[in-house]
Amino acid sequence: MTSWTPTLDGRNGPLYRVIADALADDIAGGALAIGARLPTHRDLAFRLGVTVGTVTRAYAEAEKRGLIGGEVGRGTFVQGQRPPAPPPMQQSWSAPATGGGPGPIDMTTIRPEHGVAIQALSAALSDLAASDRLASLLGYAPHAGLAPHRAAGSAWLERQHRVSVPPDSILMTTGAQNGIAVALSAVARPGDVILAERLTNIGAKTLAANQGYHLEGVAIDEHGIVPEAFDSACRRLGPKALYLVPTIHNPTGVVMPQARRAEIAVIARRYGVILIEDDVFGFMVPDAMPIQTIAPDITIYVTSLSKSVSAGLRIGYVVVPPDLRPRVEAAIRALQYSAPALPAEIASRWIQDGSADRIVETQRVEDLARQRLARSILPVETVYGHPAAQHVWLVLPEPWRREDFVAETRRRGVVVTGADAFTVGRASAPHAVRIGLCMPGTRDEAARGLRAIADSLEAPASAMLSIV
């Protein structure tokens, strides 16, 4: 491994880009030969006095330029320039569907990019096949997960979610949905009141209905949960917990400001309400500090790799206050016994060798590109949500009703999700739809779907068809 340490003096711009620029210059000037093995993320971070996350972003930027490449289990190597990427509108997000002809464009689902993950998986499986770890991965893991996997999770949460906790504070689950399930099971019983945003994740609604919790919606505005409404609900209903998605809310895409997060934590503490924070999209907003960092003693923090790295691995991480850990661990034992060790091993290897960070960087780039695409095609006054989100919240202009618009887009070959699917209880659902930007296999397919949606908005006659 080379002892390369870049000179950063006299360069301007974000620090990660400055490091990538210095790397490019040293390769061009011959200071770094093609094939040279670069320092690890942690080693270079120590030499430069920067965070590991900064070096990870710098290496991801350099890889995007074709300067370096990672090999699972071996490290990161200089490889010179690669041929330029295909034009954006033809760039593959994942393998497009095959069949006898074009089917509906599904824009209902939120999931991460697969291309880089497929390459990393192939390498990881080959590496595992040649290792002596296979036997240990085929048995039952401890309920909390194997210690090396929790350690990798700890590194990941600090790097991508700004949550700094020791490995012993982390419990492994099979994805965020399972994490939410064990969190609710630990703090509530059938019939207990659980609060959620008035519009909430469909998975939380499904869990509440399945387990018999009484789910009550709390009013939201452009900044998330309204503190006064939360306070009132706590006084009136005596809830056990509040489930919320403060960073890139599902479905509206709102990011709750830090001051609002602090207000929610104060109210929860006042009434003895546990916060169940779903942070699956936290990796997309680097300046959003989870509520867990404000109120770790009353927050069960849930995240996973399902939106950032791979939905199919089903790897989730739960951080719990010490006094709740036995109850949450007991819930894991009852609901799943333990998270499967084999996918957790793959995820941990990706986290350790930087593959997961490279997948995330690819995800960020694609999400931003698809958001730009959506905002260039759809009327700007109808589009809501964070510009880094994997979905947009489309507020329908009059005279459109959500059910008619969903039917109209389906008639035009595009499937979207109406606001009623996210509405808690019998509250009135807004006339809006969620559009998932990630599911179409290519940007070109996404653009076709978005143009069909835009054309639907311009067909007001269809909005009146259900009125007879």
Side-chain angles (χ1 to χ4, degrees):
M1 178 168 54
T2 178
S3 60
W4 176 72
T5 303
T7 301
L8 308 183
D9 296 340
R11 298 178 185 273
N12 298 316
L15 191 52
Y16 79 92
R17 195 171 294 152
V18 166
I19 297 171
D21 290 343
L23 178 62
D25 289 348
D26 285 352
I27 293 172
L32 281 172
I34 293 176
R37 183 182 178 189
L38 293 174
T40 66
H41 298 218
R42 193 172 299 279
D43 186 29
L44 186 57
F46 177 78
R47 295 184 201 178
L48 296 177
V50 301
T51 67
V52 175
T54 298
V55 174
T56 296
R57 292 192 70 189
Y59 277 11
E61 173 69 18
E63 183 169 21
K64 188 168 63 177
R65 299 182 194 179
L67 300 171
I68 63 176
E71 296 183 23
V72 176
R74 295 190 61 221
T76 304
F77 298 84
V78 175
Q79 61 183 34
Q81 293 286 353
R82 288 196 301 257
M89 289 302 292
Q90 300 302 320
Q91 185 174 353
S92 177
W93 172 255
S94 61
T98 58
I105 298 175
D106 186 352
M107 304 189 82
T108 62
T109 305
I110 300 175
R111 66 159 175 82
E113 185 270 343
H114 284 162
V116 179
I118 290 170
Q119 298 171 19
L121 179 61
S122 177
L125 291 175
S126 297
D127 219 27
L128 268 173
S131 77
D132 58 0
R133 293 271 292 144
L134 283 180
S136 65
L137 300 175
L138 294 179
Y140 290 116
H143 306 311
L146 290 170
H149 299 162
R150 299 203 313 274
S154 175
W156 181 255
L157 295 189
E158 182 171 8
R159 215 151 71 207
Q160 294 290 350
H161 291 265
R162 301 154 306 281
V163 172
S164 298
V165 292
D168 285 348
S169 298
I170 294 175
L171 305 175
M172 304 283 298
T173 63
T174 52
Q177 180 76 0
N178 178 239
I180 299 164
V182 300
L184 288 172
S185 179
V187 302
R189 295 292 177 266
D192 285 343
V193 173
I194 303 296
L195 302 180
E197 292 112 333
R198 185 174 74 88
L199 298 169
T200 194
N201 170 24
I202 294 172
K205 289 181 59 178
T206 303
L207 276 171
N210 182 266
Q211 297 300 310
Y213 306 126
H214 182 68
L215 196 64
E216 284 281 342
V218 181
I220 57 176
D221 61 15
E222 71 275 15
H223 299 305
I225 288 180
V226 176
E228 295 79 9
F230 178 40
D231 188 285
S232 174
C234 289
R235 281 189 286 105
R236 291 184 295 106
L237 302 171
K240 295 292 184 180
L242 166 67
Y243 166 79
L244 73 167
V245 187
T247 301
I248 305 189
H249 174 247
N250 187 7
T252 66
V254 164
V255 175
M256 184 183 289
Q258 291 303 129
R260 177 72 64 90
R261 297 175 191 228
E263 283 187 84
I264 296 301
V266 167
I267 295 168
R269 196 183 302 281
R270 181 186 306 147
Y271 292 100
V273 175
I274 296 296
L275 299 174
I276 300 175
E277 180 179 18
D278 184 340
D279 195 42
V280 291
F281 299 113
F283 73 98
M284 289 300 301
V285 188
D287 57 349
M289 296 302 295
I291 295 176
Q292 191 277 341
T293 65
I294 301 170
D297 57 316
I298 60 169
T299 304
I300 300 178
Y301 174 89
V302 179
T303 192
S304 76
L305 302 183
S306 297
K307 306 300 184 187
S308 56
V309 177
S310 169
L313 283 181
R314 309 308 301 144
I315 295 301
Y317 304 105
V318 176
V319 179
V320 299
D323 59 326
L324 287 177
R325 179 189 168 106
R327 289 157 64 181
V328 175
E329 192 165 343
I332 290 174
R333 179 178 183 178
L335 294 175
Q336 68 182 48
Y337 192 84
S338 64
L342 184 57
E345 175 71 13
I346 292 170
S348 298
R349 286 173 179 244
W350 287 359
I351 290 168
Q352 291 161 353
D353 68 19
S355 296
D357 297 282
R358 290 191 289 274
I359 294 169
V360 163
E361 189 59 31
T362 301
Q363 176 76 28
R364 289 193 184 107
V365 169
E366 189 67 24
D367 289 347
L368 290 168
R370 295 204 179 201
Q371 277 282 341
R372 288 193 296 269
L373 189 64
R375 291 162 193 261
S376 70
I377 293 174
L378 301 172
V380 65
E381 68 275 9
T382 66
V383 177
Y384 290 79
H386 195 275
Q390 297 174 4
H391 65 280
V392 296
W393 185 240
L394 189 74
V395 177
L396 301 173
E398 293 186 355
W400 277 113
R401 296 159 55 90
R402 64 185 175 279
E403 59 269 31
D404 297 327
F405 190 77
V406 169
E408 176 63 18
T409 58
R410 184 180 288 274
R411 187 182 70 79
R412 293 172 182 262
V414 181
V415 188
V416 297
T417 308
D420 50 314
F422 307 98
T423 303
V424 175
R426 301 181 68 179
S428 175
H431 294 296
V433 298
R434 191 190 74 178
I435 303 170
L437 301 176
C438 324
M439 190 65 179
T442 63
R443 290 187 203 172
D444 182 64
E445 186 181 11
R448 286 191 286 111
L450 290 165
R451 281 193 288 269
I453 292 169
D455 290 344
S456 298
L457 288 171
E458 295 178 0
S462 298
M464 309 300 291
L465 291 179
S466 66
I467 301 175
V468 295

